[in-house]
Structures are given as C-alpha cells and as structure tokens.
Amino acid sequence: MAALGAFPLVCPPLRRGCVFPPGSCQGNSVERKIYIPLNKTAPCVRLLNATHQIGCQSSISGDTGVIHVVEKEEDLNWVLADGPHPPYMILLDGNLFNRRVMLQLKGTSRVSGLAVAIAKPSPPQGFSPGLKCPNDGFGVYSKDYGPQFAHCNKTVWNPVGSGLSYEDFDFPIFLLEDANETQVIKQCYQDHNIPRDGSGPEYPLCAMQLFSHMHAVTSTVTCMRRSSLQSTFSINPEVVCDPLLDYNVWSTLQPINSSGKVDAEKEVVIVATRIDSHSFFWNIAPGAESAVSSFVTHLAAAEALHKASDVHLLQRNIMFTFFQGETFDYIGSSRMVYDMEKDKFPLRLDNIHSFVELNQCCLLFFQVRKLLDILSNSSVGANVTLQEAGYSQPLPPSSFQRFLRARHIPGVVLTDHRTAFQNRYYQSMYDTPENIRMQYPEGLSPEETLEYVTDTAKSLAEVATVVARALYRLAGGANNTSAIQADPKTVSRMLYGFLIKMNNSWFQSIIKPDIKGILGDVPQHYVAVSSPVNTTYLVQYVLANLTGMVVNLTKEECLNPEKTPSSEKELYEYAWVQGSLEPNSTARVPYCVRSTVRLSKALSPAFELRQWGSTEYSTWTESRWKEIRARIFLVASKELEVSLYMSEKEGSEKNILVPWRCTRVVAACECLAAAWGLS
C-alpha cells in the first residue's frame, strides 16, 4: 500500500488553455499515485426476505465524501450540522457503532457512508447487531401452540440485541479490518481535514469512496420473480439475488444405506448443532460461542463414541447432524425435516427416538425427565454442573424447534444459559476466541499453538464426555461408560483451526488435495450463497477423520469405490486425503478414509416450492453485486471542478485535449498530476 506521503500534490488553480497530453489521465501509474486502496475491508451487503430488504448499498458509481473522524459522540455535531463540506464519509470508532448513533446518521443527507474501526478491546457492555428474539415466528411457538412463549413473550433471549443487522441503510458501511489502514485514514484526516481556528479546513481535502452497489431491491418475492423472468425470456439473464444455501453435514454411528430407507422399526437418536454464524458485515462471522464451541463439542463427542468397543451392538443408531443456515430462520433444519416428510432422506420422522441439541457451549439442559436423568447420571465424576430449567421455561432458539413443529419428539437443548443468553456478542464480529476465554502463552509457534491444550479445550472436552456417555445410554448401551472419554487435544486442535487459523498442518492433512484452496487464514462461518463454504467442508472432513477408518485402497480405488466390490459404496463415503508431510520433506503421504459422513441440501423448501413469500419456511436471499472496493484520495474544491469542466468545454471548441475524467471531482487531482508530469 502506498505510504501517506504518496499523496502527490495540493491542487493549484487550473490554468486555462493548458494542453493536456493525450491519454494523460488513463495511466495506472497515475491512479496508483492518487488513490490509496483499502484492501482489508468487509462490506455490509443487502439481504432480503419475504417482506423486507436489510443491509446497505452505495450508489451505482460508488459514494464519495470528505472524511471526518468520529471518536466521541460530540464529533457527530460537525457531520450533522456544523461542517461546511457535506456529504461526509465517517470513520467511526467501533465503540460508537450502536443503534442510537446509526439511526442519527440514517436520518440525515449529510452522510454518504461509514468506515467502522473495530473496537479493541471488545465493547465491555456487549454488542449484538442481531434481533432480541432470533428466528421469531419460525420455531415451534405460535398462536396455536404455546402462545405464551411466542415472540419472546416469556423470555427475551438476546437482550443486548440492537437489531442493527436487520435495518436498511441507503449508504455504504464498511468494516476496517486492518489497524494500519485505519491509521492511514486518520493521518490523512489530520493532515488535511481538521478545522483550523474555528473555521473549516481548506482544499484539498482527504476523501473516501466506497463501492458496494446492490442489484436486488424490495424483497425476495420481487428479486426472485425478476430473476425468474430474466432466466425465462433472456438469452443472457441477469440474476439479481440468490437464496442463502449450503449443505448440512451428517453421519451415523452404525452405517446405513444412504440411498435407501431405514426400516420403520429402527430407532435413531439425533444429536445436532448448527455450524453457521453472522454479523453486520459480510463474511465476518467468527461465531466462537454462538456456533464453534457447540459444534466442536459435538465433534469431540462423536469421536469419543466411535472409540467405544461395543457401539456396533447398540440397540439404537446415533446420527450426528450439523445444520447450516440456522441463523436465517432455520434453513438447514427445516430442509431436513421437509426431506424426511417427503421421503427424500434415509430417515423418517418416525425413526427419531430422541433429540439432543448442543447450543452455545452446552452447560445447561432443558426438558424431558428421562433424558435429564440419563444426562445427570452421565455427569457423575465429570467436572460439569447440570441444572434443569423450570417447566414454564420455553425452549431457546434451536434447530430442535423445527422438528417439534412437525412432530412431538422427546428432546433436550444443552446450553450455557438458563434464561437470556450469556453471550454478550451474539451474531457479532466480537464473538471471537477471547469471548470463550481461549488463551495461549506468549512465544508459541503456530504448530505449538495448534497442539497447546487450553483451559477452554479442557472444559469443552468434559462436556463432550458427558454428552457422549449420555448418547451411549440413550442408544441402549448397558456397559460402564467410564472408558468413553473425549480428547482435550482433539478439542484444542479444532478450536485453533475453526477460530484462529484454518490453514494449519492438521487441517491440511485431512482434506482432499483438490480443495486445499479453502484453507484461508482467519476462519469465518457465514452461510453465503456459493456452496459448500469452508466451514461445511472442514466439518465434513474433521468428522470423517475423527470417526472414519483408514482403508488400504489405492488412489484409483478410493476415488472410484463403485469399481471395488468390497467397498460397500451404499454404506460408506470414501475420500483420498492429502496426509501429513514426510519428515524433512515437502512431500505428503496421502491415504484413503472410509466414513459414514455425508452432505444433504441446506436450501429452504421455500425455493424448491417457489413460495418466495412463505411464512412457513426461510426466504432469505442475498443481493448480487459487481464491485466491492474502498479507497481514499485528495479531492479538489467545487470551484476547481467547475474550472475543469469549463476547460473541457473550451478544449472541445479549440481542439485542446482535456480528458473526460477531468470533469469529475474525484479525479481532479489525478488529471492535474498527469498534466504536470507526475505520472
């Protein structure tokens, strides 16, 4: 990135009659000298459901404004009333990114956009841009069933929730992820934009331009109808929005025929958790407490159960299920229920014996006496305290609600809160490893950090042990469960990989070579519209690694198991994975893994049924866009813009070459730089 000193000039008045060299404003070198790109940003984008649009967008050519730094609420006065150079682009301190401030900015025409700096440390009062009543209207409670619990009448689950993520803003809002870029913006502001002696600063001023124009408007009904018409009648259709979609990950303790149907008399215990999260900004969804702690515990419990010696003799099968898209009105769970009802899944609802869900760290339990007794007995000797909520307490937002909506099924939801969420950063960019108290000694290498067993890992391993033992009992196991024990080292590796660094040696070794590109550095768990997303792939291959078996097949046999008679393709999935590095070498030792891990669609039935205005199923879509970028530069005065425009008019009459870009304020200095040979 260009240093601050690379701002090339203070624009002097244009001399009329100056001849501009042909093409002088088009050179990339000029652009590099004029603009400083902001490369580490995350935009707020537009999402739509059956009735609303939420999120943010810029105008079609991007929005521009003079930068003003707002670090305390008094700084807003300059933006809202006093400043002489509106519209303003605000660099907003993360501690002021709240509903009260944002609604003030939403109500004025003097703001053209925002860049939000992450607050460090996280806001101590908490920050959740999600709703106070998540997934309201799509769970089990309604006017017909448990109306006293509907719409959070009994318990407001997310009291910190501001609902910011569900507001509609008509200007762009970007998150600044890099502190160095934030400092560059502040320095430019200090050098050019700070008021002097009580009066406004003089030109040139430091400005920012944000591009995030969204194609979809109004609602999912509107955008899907428009896209459908385009696809029907246009040779080159322009789709304007896409459904949020991905895949659920599931496997069974005992193999089943994935293309057939489980016998009606066979009972299955389902253990489930969600694997997605969300925040105000696109693809910024760390989800440490809201998702990762739960699905890591779930994975550890699956590994512990698979190591038990007699699991093949259990009276009931156990299905490990990881739902995608649950943040957006239960996309994954509602689709699995729909598929079970329509005989499009190996299990039917009638096969479900009981349901256990892990939800936000898994330390408290709800409902059903028999299951609670089993869970309590399974916790004996473990460092886990179990408490039962009162019978008048509703179920928290959970995938289990979608199953109860279809059928009365015994079940429990395990979570760390008796009433309102303990998580102060639910669906927020601050739901990070620090939020679940993950701490490492200083000076560890990446490999040492991967293997270091944190206190958080030890705690979650204890919970996973209790869950695994309880599942064993629920499935009909009668032997002593003391040997069923989750591995804290495995939990440590998973927490590191899913929360700190996906591109680590363990994840590298357990995935297929053709998807190694999914291993970005900072994990995010947003469901998105292109699938499978990184999280889905990694949960799939971690689960296969922890519960599958290495088999003696060649690469060719592993990739084409249907050609090997003994492969039992109907019962198992096969994956040729990269393997670990050989000692002192860059070569890997690949191998074949056989497991029962499979994927199933996590696309709302509303889109299968083309019921885009459904109130039964999730209808969330994401707008399409063509360009997301941000940059800062020096901007000339309005008077200079007029001078440039007049010079172009005169140039056209006198054959004086003045490039068209010189009529734009954002390019005024660029054109002058070219004219004076600064390119």
Side-chain angles (χ1 to χ4, degrees), residues 536-570:
T536 302
Y537 271 130
L538 289 170
V539 168
Q540 177 188 7
Y541 285 100
V542 168
L543 182 59
N545 177 268
L546 298 181
T547 64
M549 176 184 293
V550 177
V551 291
N552 187 25
L553 295 179
T554 66
K555 179 179 180 180
E556 179 65 24
E557 291 170 335
C558 191
L559 295 177
N560 301 283
E562 67 278 359
K563 297 180 181 178
T564 305
S566 61
S567 69
E568 299 180 288
K569 173 64 176 170
E570 300 80 12

Side-chain angles (χ1 to χ4, degrees), residues 7-29:
F7 284 104
L9 73 160
V10 175
C11 301
L14 180 69
R15 294 170 293 174
R16 289 194 177 192
C18 171
V19 178
F20 285 68
S24 60
C25 287
Q26 276 71 38
N28 287 336
S29 58

Side-chain angles (χ1 to χ4, degrees), residues 287-480:
E289 183 172 354
S290 61
V292 177
S293 64
S294 301
F295 74 69
V296 162
T297 303
H298 185 170
L299 288 163
E303 180 190 36
L305 269 173
H306 271 268
K307 289 180 178 179
S309 59
D310 62 336
V311 291
H312 61 289
L313 301 175
L314 291 177
Q315 175 186 347
R316 303 180 186 94
N317 206 345
I318 298 174
M319 186 170 105
F320 307 99
T321 312
F322 300 81
F323 291 121
Q324 262 287 15
E326 295 300 272
T327 301
F328 295 95
D329 299 334
Y330 305 121
I331 293 173
S333 56
S334 65
R335 179 52 185 261
M336 185 169 283
V337 170
Y338 175 84
D339 286 345
M340 287 180 175
E341 290 178 319
K342 302 298 181 183
D343 279 344
K344 295 181 179 181
F345 195 80
L347 269 68
R348 301 175 181 87
L349 291 172
D350 289 339
N351 293 118
I352 302 175
H353 167 268
S354 51
F355 196 104
V356 177
E357 180 170 349
L358 286 70
N359 187 326
Q360 295 205 73
C361 274
C362 335
L363 296 179
L364 187 66
F365 302 85
F366 290 86
Q367 235 180 5
V368 186
R369 180 78 263 153
K370 183 179 178 182
L371 295 182
L372 288 169
D373 289 343
I374 292 173
L375 288 163
S376 296
N377 292 335
S378 299
S379 70
V380 174
N383 188 26
V384 176
T385 301
L386 307 183
Q387 293 177 295
E388 180 182 351
Y391 287 104
S392 62
Q393 179 68 30
L395 280 170
S398 52
S399 304
F400 183 37
Q401 291 204 32
R402 287 304 303 195
F403 285 80
L404 286 176
R405 192 169 170 134
R407 186 71 55 92
H408 291 295
I409 298 169
V412 293
V413 176
L414 290 68
T415 187
D416 66 358
H417 54 90
R418 181 184 289 270
T419 54
F421 295 167
Q422 303 247 0
N423 187 357
R424 295 173 299 150
Y425 304 110
Y426 182 75
Q427 290 186 8
S428 152
M429 57 194 171
Y430 301 114
D431 192 5
T432 58
E434 292 76 18
N435 193 34
I436 57 173
R437 296 176 291 282
M438 281 177 61
Q439 296 178 330
Y440 296 94
E442 292 184 5
L444 296 183
S445 68
E447 198 64 27
E448 290 170 335
T449 309
L450 172 67
E451 302 294 338
Y452 183 82
V453 179
T454 63
D455 289 341
T456 300
K458 293 174 185 176
S459 297
L460 293 183
E462 289 272 9
V463 178
T465 296
V466 172
V467 171
R469 292 174 181 176
L471 291 171
Y472 175 84
R473 293 290 189 210
L474 285 171
N479 291 335
N480 188 292

Side-chain angles (χ1 to χ4, degrees), residues 41-76:
T41 62
C44 160
V45 303
R46 175 164 290 163
L47 297 167
L48 310 100
N49 65 10
T51 56
H52 292 80
Q53 66 179 33
I54 64 173
C56 320
Q57 76 158 354
S58 74
S59 61
I60 195 166
S61 57
D63 288 322
T64 303
V66 173
I67 295 171
H68 191 72
V69 175
V70 175
E71 295 180 322
K72 53 186 184 299
E73 287 207 40
E74 295 76 43
D75 297 334
L76 289 171

